[in-house]
Amino acid sequence: MRKPRKRTFAELVLENKSQLMKDRVAMEMIELRLEEKRLGKAE
């Protein structure tokens, strides 16, 4: 049997990004956090 190939960091990032893009709730939470961060810096 062959040893399973380890994924590179770039592959893991792409996989995570594609999963997030499909998950609407997670995207909304990220957008809210970014908005709060921007408002905090503006003050």
Side-chain angles (χ1 to χ4, degrees):
M1 285 185 48
R2 289 190 330 165
K3 207 161 104 176
R5 185 175 72 87
K6 292 192 180 204
R7 294 184 188 160
T8 64
F9 182 73
E11 289 171 335
L12 290 172
V13 168
L14 285 173
E15 183 180 324
N16 191 23
K17 182 180 177 182
S18 66
Q19 286 177 352
L20 276 175
M21 294 303 272
K22 292 177 189 172
D23 189 354
R24 193 69 228 150
V25 176
M27 285 300 291
E28 289 175 7
M29 289 182 69
I30 291 170
E31 289 170 1
L32 284 174
R33 273 191 268 161
L34 286 173
E35 192 174 313
E36 288 174 3
K37 203 179 214 181
R38 287 188 190 121
L39 290 175
K41 287 184 179 181
E43 293 178 350

XYZ file of all heavy atoms in Angstrom:
360
model
N 0.833 -1.203 0.000
C 0.000 0.000 0.000
C 0.864 1.247 0.000
O 1.906 1.277 0.639
C -0.901 0.031 1.227
C -2.060 -0.928 1.118
S -3.249 -0.844 2.461
C -3.582 0.860 2.651
N 0.376 2.243 -0.710
C 1.107 3.505 -0.751
C 0.729 4.380 0.437
O -0.375 4.315 0.946
C 0.784 4.272 -2.027
C 1.380 3.626 -3.240
C 1.282 4.459 -4.471
N 0.122 5.346 -4.521
C 0.000 6.348 -5.367
N 0.952 6.583 -6.229
N -1.069 7.109 -5.376
N 1.677 5.194 0.826
C 1.436 6.146 1.893
C 0.592 7.301 1.341
O 0.854 7.765 0.238
C 2.787 6.683 2.365
C 2.810 7.147 3.789
C 4.208 7.207 4.300
C 4.684 8.631 4.346
N 6.006 8.771 4.913
N -0.428 7.749 2.070
C -1.220 8.872 1.557
C -0.364 10.130 1.417
O 0.453 10.430 2.286
C -2.314 9.071 2.600
C -2.034 8.146 3.712
C -0.904 7.258 3.342
N -0.571 10.842 0.316
C 0.199 12.053 0.045
C -0.304 13.184 0.928
O -1.494 13.409 1.066
C 0.030 12.435 -1.427
C 0.867 13.601 -1.861
C 0.728 13.843 -3.338
N -0.564 14.410 -3.691
C -0.841 15.719 -3.691
N 0.095 16.573 -3.384
N -2.024 16.143 -4.015
N 0.638 13.910 1.537
C 0.253 15.044 2.364
C -0.098 16.218 1.470
O 0.520 16.439 0.444
C 1.395 15.434 3.295
C 1.659 14.382 4.334
C 2.566 14.886 5.397
C 2.779 13.777 6.407
N 3.141 14.258 7.689
N -1.095 16.976 1.876
C -1.512 18.145 1.107
C -0.604 19.326 1.432
O -0.145 19.483 2.554
C -2.935 18.523 1.465
C -3.937 17.497 1.054
C -5.312 17.998 1.357
N -6.282 16.949 1.135
C -7.481 16.954 1.665
N -7.850 17.929 2.449
N -8.307 15.969 1.411
N -0.410 20.162 0.443
C 0.377 21.364 0.670
C -0.515 22.416 1.322
O -1.743 22.312 1.308
C 0.936 21.931 -0.653
O -0.170 22.339 -1.450
C 1.770 20.903 -1.379
N 0.117 23.434 1.879
C -0.628 24.512 2.511
C -1.558 25.184 1.506
O -2.710 25.489 1.817
C 0.346 25.533 3.114
C -0.339 26.656 3.819
C -0.957 26.453 5.037
C -0.366 27.919 3.269
C -1.607 27.494 5.683
C -1.011 28.965 3.907
C -1.626 28.752 5.130
N -1.070 25.415 0.296
C -1.879 26.064 -0.740
C -3.127 25.236 -1.063
O -4.213 25.787 -1.255
C -1.052 26.295 -1.985
N -2.980 23.921 -1.118
C -4.128 23.053 -1.394
C -5.159 23.139 -0.269
O -6.362 23.189 -0.520
C -3.676 21.605 -1.569
C -2.921 21.354 -2.847
C -2.290 19.971 -2.904
O -2.016 19.372 -1.844
O -2.077 19.488 -4.027
N -4.671 23.180 0.981
C -5.582 23.285 2.115
C -6.316 24.623 2.108
O -7.510 24.683 2.392
C -4.803 23.131 3.433
C -4.267 21.740 3.722
C -3.359 21.765 4.933
C -5.396 20.754 3.928
N -5.613 25.704 1.754
C -6.239 27.026 1.689
C -7.329 27.049 0.632
O -8.430 27.548 0.870
C -5.177 28.119 1.429
C -5.827 29.440 1.074
C -4.265 28.275 2.628
N -7.036 26.489 -0.547
C -8.037 26.457 -1.622
C -9.267 25.641 -1.218
O -10.401 26.033 -1.498
C -7.431 25.877 -2.896
C -6.497 26.810 -3.662
C -5.840 26.062 -4.816
C -7.251 28.019 -4.174
N -9.038 24.515 -0.553
C -10.157 23.680 -0.121
C -11.011 24.416 0.913
O -12.238 24.419 0.840
C -9.622 22.380 0.478
C -10.700 21.406 0.883
C -10.153 20.135 1.481
O -9.081 19.685 1.017
O -10.783 19.603 2.394
N -10.355 25.079 1.858
C -11.062 25.833 2.892
C -11.860 26.975 2.271
O -13.009 27.218 2.636
C -10.056 26.365 3.909
C -10.720 26.913 5.144
O -11.837 26.556 5.466
N -10.034 27.805 5.827
N -11.253 27.662 1.304
C -11.940 28.777 0.640
C -13.188 28.288 -0.088
O -14.249 28.909 0.003
C -10.993 29.453 -0.340
C -11.589 30.633 -1.037
C -10.619 31.269 -1.997
C -11.252 32.404 -2.747
N -10.343 33.009 -3.707
N -13.079 27.176 -0.795
C -14.237 26.671 -1.549
C -15.353 26.245 -0.594
O -16.532 26.460 -0.878
C -13.834 25.531 -2.463
O -13.415 24.416 -1.728
N -14.985 25.679 0.556
C -16.009 25.292 1.525
C -16.696 26.521 2.101
O -17.912 26.535 2.289
C -15.389 24.461 2.649
C -15.039 23.059 2.237
C -14.350 22.292 3.348
O -14.009 22.850 4.385
N -14.126 21.009 3.109
N -15.922 27.567 2.391
C -16.500 28.791 2.934
C -17.419 29.472 1.931
O -18.463 30.006 2.300
C -15.390 29.768 3.340
C -14.795 29.563 4.716
C -13.638 30.518 4.919
C -15.820 29.737 5.804
N -17.029 29.465 0.660
C -17.839 30.122 -0.358
C -19.204 29.441 -0.498
O -20.190 30.086 -0.838
C -17.120 30.123 -1.709
C -15.855 30.958 -1.707
S -16.104 32.656 -1.242
C -16.467 33.373 -2.818
N -19.277 28.150 -0.199
C -20.536 27.418 -0.276
C -21.388 27.637 0.970
O -22.598 27.469 0.922
C -20.263 25.918 -0.433
C -19.650 25.554 -1.756
C -19.333 24.074 -1.812
C -18.514 23.740 -3.034
N -18.036 22.353 -2.999
N -20.745 28.007 2.087
C -21.444 28.144 3.368
C -21.872 29.598 3.583
O -21.086 30.439 3.971
C -20.519 27.683 4.500
C -21.230 27.591 5.831
O -22.403 27.984 5.909
O -20.593 27.123 6.792
N -23.121 29.882 3.308
C -23.647 31.257 3.369
C -23.577 31.837 4.785
O -23.255 32.995 4.978
C -25.099 31.236 2.869
C -25.670 32.577 2.584
C -25.019 33.197 1.367
N -24.644 34.560 1.705
C -23.622 35.231 1.192
N -22.872 34.695 0.290
N -23.347 36.440 1.568
N -23.908 31.032 5.799
C -23.921 31.513 7.185
C -22.509 31.925 7.615
O -22.323 32.985 8.214
C -24.487 30.438 8.140
C -24.404 30.885 9.578
C -25.925 30.118 7.761
N -21.521 31.114 7.284
C -20.144 31.435 7.648
C -19.684 32.711 6.946
O -19.016 33.548 7.550
C -19.217 30.276 7.291
N -20.072 32.890 5.690
C -19.688 34.094 4.951
C -20.296 35.337 5.598
O -19.638 36.367 5.724
C -20.144 33.994 3.492
C -19.305 33.078 2.655
S -17.588 33.555 2.561
C -17.712 35.032 1.587
N -21.548 35.247 6.031
C -22.191 36.387 6.673
C -21.497 36.740 7.985
O -21.324 37.916 8.297
C -23.672 36.093 6.897
C -24.467 36.084 5.607
C -25.915 35.678 5.793
O -26.362 35.521 6.938
O -26.588 35.510 4.756
N -21.088 35.728 8.750
C -20.387 35.988 10.012
C -19.054 36.676 9.749
O -18.671 37.604 10.465
C -20.191 34.683 10.786
C -21.474 34.132 11.364
S -21.215 32.641 12.320
C -20.323 33.307 13.717
N -18.336 36.232 8.732
C -17.055 36.843 8.387
C -17.261 38.292 7.962
O -16.518 39.187 8.385
C -16.355 36.033 7.274
C -15.903 34.684 7.823
C -15.176 36.805 6.698
C -15.426 33.718 6.773
N -18.288 38.529 7.147
C -18.578 39.894 6.697
C -18.904 40.805 7.875
O -18.451 41.952 7.926
C -19.727 39.878 5.692
C -19.347 39.290 4.360
C -20.533 39.054 3.443
O -21.680 39.366 3.840
O -20.303 38.569 2.326
N -19.673 40.309 8.840
C -20.008 41.112 10.021
C -18.757 41.452 10.824
O -18.587 42.590 11.279
C -21.007 40.361 10.907
C -22.444 40.326 10.419
C -23.288 39.419 11.304
C -23.026 41.730 10.403
N -17.875 40.470 11.017
C -16.643 40.722 11.763
C -15.772 41.758 11.069
O -15.207 42.634 11.707
C -15.852 39.427 11.958
C -16.285 38.682 13.199
C -15.329 37.567 13.501
N -15.844 36.373 12.838
C -15.147 35.293 12.553
N -13.873 35.243 12.849
N -15.698 34.268 11.968
N -15.667 41.654 9.736
C -14.865 42.623 8.990
C -15.466 44.023 9.093
O -14.746 45.017 9.240
C -14.758 42.204 7.520
C -13.836 41.031 7.237
C -13.953 40.613 5.780
C -12.406 41.386 7.563
N -16.782 44.095 9.034
C -17.454 45.385 9.128
C -17.214 46.020 10.501
O -16.914 47.205 10.606
C -18.952 45.186 8.895
C -19.717 46.465 8.673
C -21.161 46.197 8.306
O -21.405 45.339 7.429
O -22.033 46.840 8.905
N -17.315 45.219 11.567
C -17.066 45.732 12.911
C -15.617 46.205 13.050
O -15.351 47.228 13.670
C -17.347 44.640 13.951
C -18.814 44.341 14.140
C -19.066 43.165 15.059
O -18.085 42.600 15.599
O -20.233 42.794 15.226
N -14.700 45.480 12.466
C -13.286 45.846 12.524
C -13.055 47.194 11.829
O -12.348 48.058 12.341
C -12.465 44.755 11.830
C -11.040 44.673 12.233
C -10.382 43.524 11.481
C -9.353 42.856 12.317
N -8.684 41.771 11.616
N -13.656 47.368 10.661
C -13.504 48.619 9.913
C -14.116 49.792 10.669
O -13.554 50.875 10.696
C -14.146 48.498 8.523
C -13.359 47.643 7.597
C -13.914 47.701 6.189
N -13.276 46.689 5.365
C -13.918 45.714 4.737
N -15.208 45.618 4.813
N -13.250 44.841 4.023
N -15.278 49.562 11.284
C -15.923 50.631 12.049
C -15.082 51.000 13.272
O -15.003 52.178 13.635
C -17.330 50.213 12.473
C -18.372 50.117 11.366
C -19.674 49.570 11.908
C -18.598 51.472 10.727
N -14.461 50.020 13.876
C -13.608 50.273 15.046
C -12.394 51.107 14.682
O -11.973 51.985 15.443
N -11.818 50.875 13.529
C -10.652 51.638 13.088
C -11.028 53.050 12.669
O -10.215 53.962 12.765
C -9.961 50.920 11.921
C -9.217 49.686 12.338
C -8.486 49.076 11.163
C -7.715 47.853 11.610
N -6.979 47.246 10.503
N -12.263 53.236 12.200
C -12.704 54.541 11.721
C -12.909 55.523 12.881
O -12.817 56.726 12.682
C -13.984 54.401 10.923
N -13.166 55.005 14.053
C -13.429 55.883 15.204
C -12.193 56.485 15.796
O -11.125 56.097 15.669
C -14.182 55.106 16.294
C -15.563 54.728 15.858
C -16.284 53.914 16.907
O -15.650 53.474 17.890
O -17.486 53.707 16.760
